[in-house]
Amino acid sequence: MSGPWICPDWPAPARVRALSTTRVGGVSVAPYNSLNLGTHVGDDPAAVEMNRARLGSVLPGEPAWLNQVHGTAVVDAAACAGVPDADADAAVSCSSGVVCSVMTADCLPLLLCDRAGTVVAAVHAGWRGLHGGVVEAGVAAMKVAPSEILAWLGPAIGQQAFEVGSEVRAAFMAVDRQAEAAFRPAETPAKWLADLYLLARQRLAVLGVSGIYGGDRCTFSEPDCFFSYRRDGATGRMASLIWLD
């Protein structure tokens, strides 16, 4: 799967295929340049269609595109084949050739599989989804023991760039006191810098998922590679996708 995207570095079974796109390799013009895959951000629909076609050349079928609402709903990707843009923030599949996908531009994409290669899932996790339990919902939908699950954390906004209010920190700590470690004071009074990667790792660890990989990029600070809504406002969307051969 060579191309302008990232292939997860994780010990997934051979039949598990996954990739995360960058902003490189498409036809969209600024501010969506160039591989924008989002139809909802104001880009030329024809350009988005061409970008999706370029991505589709390395996929076994059309991805289950979601209308992400920062919630916790999980859909069966196979059931979404004829229902584009289902309202959900995660998709799961046990079927060969069915592509689960989530789109991001700062939020955290999680790709999940089991060690036996029988089920995969893609999860969209901004802070609202993380707090609400989208990670837990995604893991539960896989219907395998959490100890058998591998997780890859795709490109998201890094802690140094993700400033949030005190209410966000308080909300996470009300659920789990260990979340305190994922926040450090910002230079702005009453603001905190939140670590999405650590918050996700904490949630996964509580569930019993120990095989966690990735989580080492920052969409905000790598403008040549990634779209970032917080950095640019009007911008494109990347996709993180996973499927079974």
Side-chain angles (χ1 to χ4, degrees):
M1 290 189 298
S2 61
W5 32 70
I6 299 166
C7 292
D9 182 10
W10 62 337
R15 72 179 297 228
V16 173
R17 309 296 297 276
L19 65 88
S20 185
T21 66
T22 64
R23 70 181 302 163
V24 179
V27 300
S28 294
V29 299
Y32 310 105
N33 48 313
S34 64
L35 191 64
N36 168 47
L37 299 167
T39 59
H40 62 293
V41 296
D43 194 6
D44 178 1
V48 178
E49 185 176 353
M50 290 179 67
N51 291 337
R52 289 189 173 189
R54 290 190 177 191
L55 173 62
S57 67
V58 299
L59 302 177
E62 182 72 8
W65 301 111
L66 305 177
N67 178 39
Q68 297 164 187
V69 295
H70 298 276
T72 61
V74 185
V75 295
D76 181 342
C80 292
V83 187
D85 301 330
D87 289 343
D89 283 270
V92 65
S93 175
C94 298
S95 304
S96 297
V98 175
V99 183
C100 300
S101 70
V102 291
M103 284 190 286
T104 57
D106 281 337
C107 290
L108 173 62
L110 285 84
L111 299 181
L112 307 170
C113 72
D114 69 327
R115 299 177 191 273
T118 66
V119 59
V120 294
V123 178
H124 163 251
W127 76 260
R128 290 178 179 82
L130 275 173
H131 176 261
V134 72
V135 171
E136 292 85 344
V139 168
M142 296 175 72
K143 298 181 180 179
V144 296
S147 60
E148 292 302 306
I149 291 176
L150 302 175
W152 182 75
L153 312 184
I157 190 168
Q159 183 176 21
Q160 75 281 359
F162 190 35
E163 188 177 273
V164 299
S166 296
E167 73 283 358
V168 175
R169 176 175 178 266
F172 275 98
M173 290 177 60
V175 175
D176 187 351
R177 292 296 302 182
Q178 72 169 340
E180 182 177 9
F183 296 86
R184 68 170 187 253
E187 293 183 3
T188 308
K191 297 291 186 178
W192 298 83
L193 297 175
D195 189 339
L196 283 178
Y197 288 131
L198 180 53
L199 289 168
R201 288 188 176 102
Q202 289 174 341
R203 293 298 182 97
L204 288 164
V206 168
L207 292 171
V209 178
S210 58
I212 307 171
Y213 304 86
D216 57 357
R217 304 297 294 266
C218 175
T219 49
F220 186 96
S221 62
E222 299 183 60
D224 291 339
C225 290
F226 303 122
F227 297 116
S228 169
Y229 180 79
R230 182 160 289 214
R231 183 188 65 230
D232 299 326
T235 193
R237 295 295 185 272
M238 299 155 311
S240 294
L241 311 103
I242 188 166
W243 66 96
L244 295 169
D245 267 349

